[in-house]
Amino acid sequence: MSIQLLVTDRNLAVLGDPLHGWTDLKAEINFNAPASGSVSLPAHPEYMELLQPGNRLVVIRDGAIWCAGPMEQPQDYVWDLAGNASPGTVQVVFSDDLARVAGYLTYPEPWLGFADQTTSPDVVRTLTAANAETIIRTLVNENCGPVALAARRIERLALDTVAGVGTNRTVSTRFEPLLDACRVAAASDGLGFRTRQVGDEIRFGVYAPRNLTSTARFSAGLGNLRSVSFTMAAPLATQQLVQGGNDPAQEATPPNTRAYVEVSSGAAADWYRVEKLVDKSGTNDDSAGELTQAGVLEFGNDNPQASLATVTVDTEDLRAGRDFWLGDRVTVQLPTGLEVTDLVQTIRLEATPDEGELVTSVIGSSDKTTTTATVRLVRDLARRLGRLEAR
C-alpha cells in the first residue's frame, strides 16, 4: 500500500509537505455524485496551518490521484488527558471537486447576474438538438466553467476531452441544482460524469459506462462478494382516488360538478388496501383519460418499495479502477444462485497504517425504488431464501 496526502489551495498549488502520521482514512467516490471522505491526523501546528477553509485534500494511491477536492470540515479537533497525547488529533472531512459543481444552480440566463435575470417565470434555459454529453458540458460550462460569469467560475475548472457519447435530446431548466439537471440529461443514455485533477487543472468530463457483465463477476465462490442486503416494503397506496372538477372555464355555468375515478394497482391482492386521494382540479371528466393518467403516475412513488445492494471486495483478479469503474454494469451471483446485473454505484477506500487498505464496491443501491424489475427481483430473492431455509 502506498498512500500520500497533500494539501493544495483552490488553485491546486501544493502547500507544505505531505501529511504524515494519519490514521483511519476513508475515501468514497460515487457515480454521478460528490465523493465523501475523512481522515484523522496529529494536530501538529504546521498541519493546522494547512487545514484551512478553501484548501483541498488530495489522496494519492499507488502514484495516482484517488480523490481530490475541498475540505468541507477542515478541523474537528480533540484533546483529552486520558486518550489523546499532545498535540491531540484533528479529523478532516473532505469531498472531490464535483462537490464544488454541486453548489451551483442553473440560471435561466447564465450570461446575466442573478439580480439581472428576467423576472418572467416563463424564462427557462433550454438546450436542444444536441447530444446528452454536449448538454451536460454546456450546463457546467455556462454556470461554473470557463465561460461562466467571473464571480461564478470555479478556479482551474476546465472541460475534459469530448467523449462523443449520448443521443440527442432536449433539457429545460430554471434555478434547479446543477447536478440535478446534469443527471436528467444523463439518465436516458446512462451516462456518467466526473471531475478529475490532471496537472494544474480540474477537468469535468462525461463518459459512457461499460457493460462488463461477462467479465466482471462477483460471488462468494470467487471470494470477492462481501455482503448482500435487500429490503421489501408495503405500498404507500394501492388505490388512487382521483378527484377532478372545479374547472375555471365551467364556473360561469353552475353547478360545477366533481368527477371521481378510482385507479387500482392490483397490489392489494398481495398486501392490503391503502387509499390515497389525488386532487386533479381543473379537469371535469375522464373523457381524455387525464384523471386515470394522474392516478397511474402517482403509483410511481406509491407502489411496493424495494432495494437491493451488494458489497464486493477487490481481489488480484478483479480490481476497482483497473478492471471496472463507477457506472459499469457487472454481474453478482447471490448466495441463492440467482444472478443479477447492476451498476457500480460507489467505490470505497479504507486504510490504516497498521492494517493496510481495503477497497470495496457497492453494486446496486440501498435507496428504495418502485421499479417493477427491482421489486420482482427482490421478491424472487426472498422466495428463494425462504426455500433454502425450508430445506
Side-chain angles (χ1 to χ4, degrees):
M1 175 186 69
S2 173
I3 292 179
Q4 186 180 48
L5 303 181
L6 300 176
V7 175
T8 77
D9 63 15
R10 64 182 65 210
N11 287 297
L12 279 59
V14 176
L15 305 176
D17 298 320
L19 304 177
H20 297 290
W22 57 267
T23 60
D24 194 25
L25 169 67
K26 297 180 177 67
E28 183 176 287
I29 52 179
N30 301 301
F31 181 57
N32 290 356
S36 61
S38 64
V39 64
S40 294
L41 296 159
H44 299 308
E46 61 271 26
Y47 288 0
M48 301 299 277
E49 289 182 10
L50 299 177
L51 305 178
Q52 298 295 325
N55 287 345
R56 301 165 66 255
L57 190 71
V58 181
V59 179
I60 300 174
R61 178 192 182 220
D62 295 334
I65 295 178
W66 175 267
C67 179
M71 290 184 272
E72 298 181 321
Q73 183 177 291
Q75 297 185 16
D76 184 359
Y77 175 76
V78 175
W79 178 90
D80 65 74
L81 185 61
N84 289 278
S86 180
T89 60
V90 60
Q91 185 183 62
V92 180
V93 176
F94 59 92
S95 185
D96 61 5
D97 292 303
L98 196 60
R100 294 285 308 274
V101 179
Y104 285 77
L105 301 180
T106 57
Y107 281 16
E109 299 167 300
W111 48 89
L112 299 177
F114 179 72
D116 298 320
Q117 298 288 308
T118 301
T119 56
S120 169
D122 296 330
V123 176
V124 297
R125 181 69 175 118
T126 299
L127 298 167
T128 187
N131 67 25
E133 178 188 10
T134 300
I135 290 174
I136 295 169
R137 288 167 61 93
T138 301
L139 286 170
V140 171
N141 197 17
E142 290 180 342
N143 287 282
C144 60
V147 304
L149 296 175
R152 302 186 75 207
R153 292 176 198 157
I154 294 175
E155 298 85 354
R156 312 306 303 170
L157 183 64
L159 296 180
D160 212 335
T161 304
V162 174
V165 296
T167 55
N168 285 5
R169 56 169 305 147
T170 297
V171 170
S172 295
T173 181
R174 175 182 171 84
F175 292 128
E176 68 176 312
L178 177 53
L179 285 194
D180 284 356
C182 291
R183 293 186 189 104
V184 168
S188 60
D189 296 304
L191 300 181
F193 51 82
R194 63 181 178 179
T195 56
R196 61 192 186 109
Q197 180 178 333
V198 180
D200 62 353
E201 289 184 333
I202 300 168
R203 296 186 185 176
F204 176 89
V206 182
Y207 65 98
R210 300 162 295 176
N211 185 341
L212 302 178
T213 52
S214 61
T215 57
R217 301 177 61 86
F218 301 87
S219 70
L222 293 173
N224 56 11
L225 182 61
R226 195 176 189 192
S227 69
V228 176
S229 62
F230 70 87
T231 62
M232 182 166 53
L236 301 180
T238 63
Q239 319 297 128
Q240 305 290 353
L241 308 181
V242 186
Q243 176 180 265
N246 278 349
D247 186 347
Q250 301 292 325
E251 290 181 359
T253 57
N256 186 4
T257 58
R258 286 283 190 184
Y260 300 104
V261 172
E262 178 176 343
V263 184
S264 175
S265 70
D270 292 326
W271 295 89
Y272 39 79
R273 185 180 178 95
V274 184
E275 299 176 343
K276 177 181 175 182
L277 183 65
V278 179
D279 184 24
K280 185 63 174 174
S281 296
T283 303
N284 261 17
D285 58 55
D286 198 36
S287 58
E290 293 179 72
L291 300 181
T292 298
Q293 183 183 28
V296 171
L297 290 175
E298 286 295 312
F299 284 126
N301 296 319
D302 296 337
N303 272 333
Q305 314 283 298
S307 67
L308 173 65
T310 62
V311 177
T312 67
V313 63
D314 268 13
T315 64
E316 285 301 317
D317 294 328
L318 194 58
R319 299 188 63 181
R322 185 191 68 187
D323 302 308
F324 63 91
W325 189 244
L326 294 169
D328 289 342
R329 182 171 290 276
V330 299
T331 297
V332 179
Q333 185 181 60
L334 303 176
T336 60
L338 180 68
E339 286 193 353
V340 299
T341 67
D342 215 326
L343 306 184
V344 180
Q345 297 287 352
T346 296
I347 301 175
R348 181 182 300 123
L349 169 66
E350 300 176 84
T352 64
D354 296 331
E355 298 179 6
E357 68 175 35
L358 176 67
V359 177
T360 57
S361 302
V362 176
I363 299 167
S365 174
S366 59
D367 294 335
K368 288 184 178 179
T369 180
T370 60
T371 302
T372 302
T374 302
V375 172
R376 287 177 178 169
L377 177 62
V378 167
R379 290 185 61 176
D380 188 17
L381 177 57
R383 291 192 184 101
R384 293 193 184 202
L385 286 174
R387 286 198 290 269
L388 285 177
E389 291 293 329
R391 291 178 183 173

